[in-house]
Amino acid sequence: MKDYKNTTNAKVRQQYGKFASVVGVVTNLILFAIKIAVGIVFNSIAITADAINNLSDSSSSFITLIGFKISGKPADKEHPYGHARMEYISGLIVSFLICFLGFQLFQNAFDKILHPQEAKFSTISIGVLIVAIFGKLWQYLFYKKIATLIDSTTLIATSIDSRNDILSTAVVLLGIIITYYTGFNLDGYLGLVVAILIIISGIKLIMDTVSPLLGTAPSEELVEYIYQKILSYDGIVSLHDLQVHSYGEGQIFATVHCEVPAEEDIMVSHDIIDNIERYFMKEEGINLVIHLDPIITSDEKTNKLREKVIKTISNISKELSLHDFRVVWGVSHSNLIFDVVVPYSFEYSNEELIEIIDDKVKEIDPCYNCVVTIDHDYIPNY
């Protein structure tokens, strides 16, 4: 694999994903062929069912392969943001398959409790199940390693599916051995326990794969990096309203508002903005669009009032923040125009908060009227 260490590269990720999927298809087909032959020869329903499970795993790997292949397609007219989210969709399909197999195993186990079968013991079948357990253990470690390398939700789901297969095969093996030596058939009871664990893990995986499809908040590390990098440019006073949208690995789109001195030449500020956008696209692969907000920085009277209002809002709640502050000075009254960023779960409604802010600011000077716009931050307050 060319450039195999560059796992952040989209093409390298796809190569890893395709490779892991092909390995999964082949190894699961081999396990299926061996188990189905042993199950038919020794008339073992448990081993035959376990073989069908491996066949479904092969199908899951094939779905994953298709998912990685489609996710690598470039953007087109119908999908201008690319196809990278197809990886999440294939992971979601695998998660549903895990739940489906868990319910199937639950039904089979319950049926075995109601209708216990005569014990069938064979050293060949025991040997095949032991080999299958080690084979699935290798698969689990293999998928987990690649999933960690390329940070793939789909392969994490596949690795957990392999781990579940270890448990189900071990239950079949344990049930055969216990039934043979004790005469008491525990196969169905053990199967119920494993089925419940598989269903729980499948539901958790569904939640994990649905989350990025709905749109999750960016990581703290990414947010901190974007803030620090933008603020390192001379001419940027502050920034706010950062939004980050991920359309799959390597497909990140972001917008942010940057405050610049209103006294500065607009062409100079625009050039700074262009440089920042080009940097993030070239170095980080982030399609960043910056909205320029000019603010007055040379008016001492406005600056002092801004600090007083910031302190006033902070006294209402440490969770609140202010941006885009400007003042329209008048003879009988002055309008203070600004935005306040409010958490989604804040204790006051927007109308109540605006009224509280206006009352508190009037304590500074009754002639001040607040024109407040309520914002909700798309970035968690880490």
Side-chain angles (χ1 to χ4, degrees):
M1 189 180 297
K2 293 181 180 180
D3 200 20
Y4 68 94
K5 291 185 178 179
N6 187 16
T7 54
T8 57
N9 182 275
K11 290 184 178 180
V12 175
R13 286 189 79 260
Q14 290 154 20
Q15 288 177 336
Y16 268 109
K18 291 176 184 178
F19 172 65
S21 301
V22 170
V23 169
V25 170
V26 173
T27 54
N28 282 310
L29 281 177
I30 292 172
L31 288 172
F32 164 73
I34 295 172
K35 287 182 183 179
I36 198 71
V38 172
I40 293 173
V41 169
F42 294 99
N43 195 29
S44 173
I45 296 176
I47 296 177
T48 301
D50 206 35
I52 299 300
N53 186 25
N54 289 137
L55 182 61
S56 69
D57 290 340
S58 184
S59 301
S60 298
S61 295
F62 185 70
I63 292 170
T64 303
L65 176 61
I66 294 174
F68 272 105
K69 189 173 181 62
I70 295 176
S71 69
K73 290 177 61 178
D76 54 33
K77 182 180 178 181
E78 290 77 20
H79 308 92
Y81 298 103
H83 299 78
R85 279 188 176 176
M86 182 55 70
E87 183 184 338
Y88 302 142
I89 295 175
S90 63
L92 184 61
I93 294 172
V94 172
S95 302
F96 276 117
L97 284 175
I98 291 173
C99 283
F100 174 75
L101 290 172
F103 282 113
Q104 287 291 101
L105 180 57
F106 186 91
Q107 287 180 324
N108 292 338
F110 192 74
D111 185 62
K112 286 180 182 179
I113 292 174
L114 296 178
H115 309 96
Q117 299 172 352
E118 184 182 351
K120 292 179 175 63
F121 185 86
S122 166
T123 53
I124 296 177
S125 60
I126 295 296
V128 166
L129 292 176
I130 291 174
V131 170
I133 288 173
F134 279 104
K136 278 295 179 180
L137 177 60
W138 178 86
Q139 273 190 357
Y140 166 68
L141 297 173
F142 170 75
Y143 287 134
K144 187 177 181 182
K145 181 176 182 180
I146 294 184
T148 303
L149 279 174
I150 64 175
D151 191 23
S152 170
T153 305
T154 300
L155 290 181
I156 289 173
T158 307
S159 71
I160 292 176
D161 189 27
S162 295
R163 185 195 65 189
N164 292 340
D165 290 341
I166 295 172
L167 293 174
S168 61
T169 304
V171 164
V172 173
L173 176 61
L174 188 62
I176 291 174
I177 294 173
I178 291 176
T179 302
Y180 179 77
Y181 284 105
T182 66
F184 186 75
N185 197 340
L186 288 177
D187 190 27
Y189 298 99
L190 293 173
L192 279 179
V193 174
V194 174
I196 292 171
L197 292 176
I198 291 175
I199 292 169
I200 291 173
S201 67
I203 293 173
K204 184 178 182 300
L205 284 171
I206 289 172
M207 295 172 63
D208 290 342
T209 50
V210 165
S211 191
L213 284 172
L214 291 175
T216 56
S219 67
E220 181 178 358
E221 292 77 16
L222 179 60
V223 173
E224 182 66 21
Y225 173 73
I226 292 175
Y227 268 73
Q228 294 300 324
K229 188 62 185 179
I230 293 177
L231 291 174
S232 69
Y233 283 80
D234 292 333
I236 302 297
V237 177
S238 63
L239 58 92
H240 56 87
D241 286 349
L242 173 63
Q243 298 183 32
V244 180
H245 306 276
S246 175
Y247 289 86
E249 292 298 326
Q251 296 290 334
I252 297 178
F253 294 78
T255 60
V256 69
H257 289 221
C258 289
E259 295 183 352
V260 298
E263 302 82 12
E264 183 62 85
D265 187 330
I266 187 65
M267 296 303 294
V268 173
S269 296
H270 186 268
D271 185 63
I272 295 171
I273 296 300
D274 276 349
N275 289 336
I276 297 173
E277 290 176 340
R278 279 194 292 268
Y279 169 83
F280 276 95
M281 174 56 73
K282 182 180 178 181
E283 301 297 331
E284 305 299 335
I286 298 176
N287 192 323
L288 178 65
V289 177
I290 299 177
H291 176 79
L292 187 149
D293 283 336
I295 61 170
I296 297 174
T297 59
S298 58
D299 186 346
E300 191 65 28
K301 183 179 179 182
T302 300
N303 290 340
K304 286 183 178 180
L305 179 56
R306 181 177 185 273
E307 294 303 316
K308 288 181 180 179
V309 174
I310 289 175
K311 185 176 181 181
T312 298
I313 290 177
S314 179
N315 287 337
I316 297 173
S317 173
K318 299 296 182 183
E319 296 182 294
L320 303 176
S321 61
L322 174 152
H323 63 80
D324 284 345
F325 183 86
R326 60 192 179 93
V327 182
V328 180
W329 299 103
V331 178
S332 62
H333 69 277
S334 298
N335 289 332
L336 281 60
I337 306 168
F338 54 90
D339 293 8
V340 176
V341 182
V342 183
Y344 282 103
S345 57
F346 198 62
E347 57 182 316
Y348 300 118
S349 68
N350 292 350
E351 293 76 15
E352 290 173 333
L353 180 59
I354 291 173
E355 186 176 344
I356 292 171
I357 292 173
D358 192 55
D359 290 340
K360 293 292 184 182
V361 170
K362 277 183 166 54
E363 291 178 7
I364 301 174
D365 190 324
C367 295
Y368 291 154
N369 292 330
C370 291
V371 181
V372 182
T373 299
I374 299 296
D375 271 352
H376 292 288
D377 204 340
Y378 291 94
I379 304 299
N381 186 19
Y382 292 112

